[in-house]
Each structure stands twice: as structure tokens, then as C-alpha cells.
Amino acid sequence: MAIDHLDGRIIVLLAREPRIGVLEMSRRLGVARGTVQARLDRLQSNGVIRGFGPEVDPAALGYPVTAFATLQIRQGQGADVRAHLATVPEVLELHTTTGTGDMMCRLVARSNADLQRVIDRVVGFDGIVRASTAIVMENPVPLRIIPLVEQAALGE
Amino acid sequence: MAIDHLDGRIIVLLAREPRIGVLEMSRRLGVARGTVQARLDRLQSNGVIRGFGPEVDPAALGYPVTAFATLQIRQGQGADVRAHLATVPEVLELHTTTGTGDMMCRLVARSNADLQRVIDRVVGFDGIVRASTAIVMENPVPLRIIPLVEQAALGE
DNA sequence: CGTTCACTGGGCAATGTGTTCAGCCGTACG
DNA sequence: CGTACGGCTGAACACATTGCCCAGTGAACG
């Protein structure tokens, strides 16, 4: 479960050039092919690398508006609300949290006007008491993992 | 930029079995290999598919705690704050938003105690007026794209 | 001192890739 | 009405890569 330096280099290399193969990686890293293969297998069975799914840009799909919604849930309705939100395609992500809200979700929509429809659909459910929404304007730091991997690979 | 049914099936198939090759995809989808290849090239140059980077689980890396922080920024300090947050490895994502806060970021930490250190580092910067943090407990809906792709591929 | 483990470097058959080609068929357009 | 175009098919080719196996080496550890 601990990540060493070589693991880190493999992940970073893979993140920068996803289409790269095991053989080319072994050349770049200066190790034997079998080593890279074994490390990759281990990283995947460890769960460190969950997969290699395509990163799809919702904006390019026609959903350029992103928003975060904080939801307050009626006591005991949590499971129902989770199930409800899971059926809404525009809900890309859902977390239960501590703090003022009970849940936090990431939404996308076709436009600001369409966002209203999405929010109506999200909150149009009995267990949800209140929703507060923040529309994303810019995304200065897109979801990233490389710096964290490098930190984990160095000092541990 | 519009996604048709075949594009949708390609993306979904790729999301479910990322290790699959072009040849195997063409067999499963019942189309010629060249077609799948051309579609994939188009989806990537369109920007619909951004890449195939490895999905790394921060928890498996030793960072099991996730939190969302809402930040209030002193007027005109936005650029400096962005640059500062970009240097913190535990900041996985940063957005500027409308609403009560000015920015919203996703953080990870080694423990709840460690989260204090991360937050101190995040807000220990001149331009940040206030931070409010919500710790993630559960993640009922992990970041997903398939339902949205299916919706985009059907009715458009 | 012996065992275990990870890495090396090599070899093998099987498979997939990148690329190109001609042919087919709708649709848009002159 | 005829033609040109774009997308799809099915096939071919050389080439690189994969998955898998093996024996040998060196370091860590009991």
C-alpha cells in the first residue's frame, strides 16, 4: 500500500502519456519490462490505480455549466435521497458531508436556464429540505493527482 | 460536437472495460475496426474524450480523508490565491464560483488531524479571508459520466 | 548461512496496431 | 437527373507489443 519512487514515476508517466505501453515505459524508466508489468499489476490490485477510463468533458458533450449544490436532508431520508440522486444523469458526483449541509453534489447542465431544470429535478424530492447552489465560473485547477503522487512517492 | 448513438456506445464500452482494444471494440459493437478508430480519433480531437489517464485513489495512497473547502477571497487577490493553491499537492481541484464563497476546492489529507495541517497551509495565505470546510463521510455516487453520455447519445 | 523476494534480460507465440486500399451506399448539390 | 462527397466496410500488410515463461543475480531477513 505504500508507494515507492518507481511506482510514483510509473503513475506520473502514465498520467502524462496515457497511450504509452508497458514496453515503452520500461525503456523510459530504465527498468525491465517485467518490472513495470509487475508494478502495474500490484498498483491495480492494491486499488491505487482504479482504472483507465476515458476522461469525458461534459462541456464537449453539450453540458458546459457546472455547479455544486449543498443539500439539507430530512432526518432518516438519506438513503432515499441517495437513490433518487443516483437516477439523475446530470448528478456527476455525490458526497455526504459534515457541516451545514448534509450532502454535496456536482451538477452539470446545458445552460444556466437548464440548470434550473436540473435543480428542480434534484430537489423535487420529498426528503430534501433545502438546496444551495454555487455555479462554477472558472476551473483554475482541474482534477489532478500528480502532485499528490509525487509527494506520496518521495517522503511517503 | 454532437454525439451519436455509436459514439455513446464506444464511450460507455470504454468506460466499463478500459483495457479493451480497438479491435475487440469493433467486434463487440458489430462495426468495422476502421470505423471505431475513426470515431475515437474524432472524439479525441473534438475534446469529448480528454484522455485516458489512470484513476488514482487517494485513499490507497494514504490520504483517506476528503473535504470540500469554500473560500472567501480578498478583492483583487484571486490570481495570487489560485497560484498559491496550485502549489499545494493536497488541493486536488479548485473552482471559482458564484454564491457565498468565491472559490471551492477539494482537499485530501492523511487523517482528520492532518486535515488541520492542510487547511492551515491552504488558508495561511494573505488573500484568503475565510474558509469553511465540509468533511466527506460517504461517497454514494463516485464521479461518473456514463449516464450523461447515454443521455447525450440518445435524445441529444 | 539459507531462503525469499524483486529485478534482470532473454526468448517465444499470439495478438493488436497503424496504415492503406478498393468498393459500397446514402445524401447533398449542381 | 447525374455526380461528387463522406462515412462505412472488409481486407491486406509489416511491424510492434503483449502475455507468458525461464534462469540468473543481488539484497534483505530470519
Side-chain angles (χ1 to χ4, degrees):
Chain A
M1 183 147 158
I3 297 303
D4 77 357
H5 193 185
L6 181 56
D7 291 321
R9 291 206 298 155
I10 290 176
I11 295 175
V12 170
L13 187 54
L14 217 41
R16 277 201 242 276
E17 306 180 45
R19 275 328 226 183
I20 206 174
V22 178
L23 184 57
E24 179 63 19
M25 289 182 80
S26 71
R27 281 195 283 253
R28 303 258 192 109
L29 299 174
V31 298
R33 179 167 67 111
T35 305
V36 175
Q37 229 148 12
R39 293 298 188 112
L40 265 183
D41 289 347
R42 193 169 57 81
L43 286 172
Q44 292 198 60
S45 58
N46 272 351
V48 174
I49 296 182
R50 241 192 255 113
F52 294 87
E55 292 158 26
V56 177
D57 182 5
L61 236 54
Y63 295 82
V65 178
T66 296
F68 287 96
T70 305
L71 308 177
Q72 279 174 41
I73 310 300
R74 200 188 316 283
Q75 298 279 344
Q77 301 283 118
D80 298 330
V81 172
R82 278 196 283 271
H84 166 243
L85 292 178
T87 68
V88 180
E90 287 91 351
V91 174
L92 298 192
E93 198 176 1
L94 173 66
H95 303 269
T96 64
T97 63
T98 65
T100 49
D102 300 309
M103 291 187 185
M104 147 93 85
C105 64
R106 177 196 300 248
L107 308 173
V108 292
R110 293 188 174 282
S111 65
N112 285 338
D114 187 52
L115 182 59
Q116 184 61 55
R117 178 189 60 81
V118 174
I119 292 175
D120 286 347
R121 180 155 173 208
V122 164
V123 304
F125 188 81
D126 215 26
I128 299 181
V129 175
R130 214 173 73 82
S132 129
T133 309
I135 297 180
V136 170
M137 294 183 291
E138 265 190 295
N139 183 207
V141 179
L143 195 50
R144 66 177 183 182
I145 196 69
I146 293 184
L148 195 69
V149 169
E150 282 170 341
Q151 173 166 298
L154 291 182
E156 157 59 34
Chain B
M1 183 147 157
I3 298 303
D4 78 356
H5 193 185
L6 180 56
D7 291 321
R9 290 206 298 156
I10 290 177
I11 295 176
V12 171
L13 187 53
L14 217 40
R16 278 201 242 273
E17 306 180 45
R19 276 329 225 183
I20 205 174
V22 178
L23 184 57
E24 179 62 20
M25 289 182 79
S26 71
R27 282 195 282 253
R28 304 259 192 109
L29 298 175
V31 297
R33 179 165 68 109
T35 305
V36 175
Q37 228 147 10
R39 294 298 189 112
L40 264 183
D41 289 346
R42 192 168 59 80
L43 288 172
Q44 292 198 58
S45 58
N46 271 352
V48 174
I49 296 182
R50 242 194 255 110
F52 295 87
E55 291 158 28
V56 177
D57 183 5
L61 235 53
Y63 295 82
V65 177
T66 296
F68 288 96
T70 304
L71 308 177
Q72 280 175 39
I73 310 300
R74 199 189 316 284
Q75 298 279 342
Q77 300 284 120
D80 297 330
V81 172
R82 278 195 282 270
H84 166 245
L85 292 178
T87 68
V88 180
E90 287 91 350
V91 173
L92 297 192
E93 196 176 4
L94 172 66
H95 303 269
T96 64
T97 63
T98 66
T100 51
D102 300 309
M103 292 187 184
M104 147 93 85
C105 63
R106 177 198 298 249
L107 307 173
V108 292
R110 294 188 173 283
S111 64
N112 285 338
D114 187 52
L115 183 58
Q116 184 61 56
R117 177 189 63 79
V118 174
I119 292 175
D120 286 345
R121 180 155 173 208
V122 164
V123 303
F125 187 81
D126 216 25
I128 298 180
V129 176
R130 215 173 73 81
S132 130
T133 310
I135 297 180
V136 170
M137 294 183 291
E138 263 190 296
N139 183 205
V141 180
L143 194 50
R144 65 179 182 180
I145 195 68
I146 292 184
L148 193 70
V149 169
E150 282 171 341
Q151 172 166 297
L154 290 182
E156 160 60 34

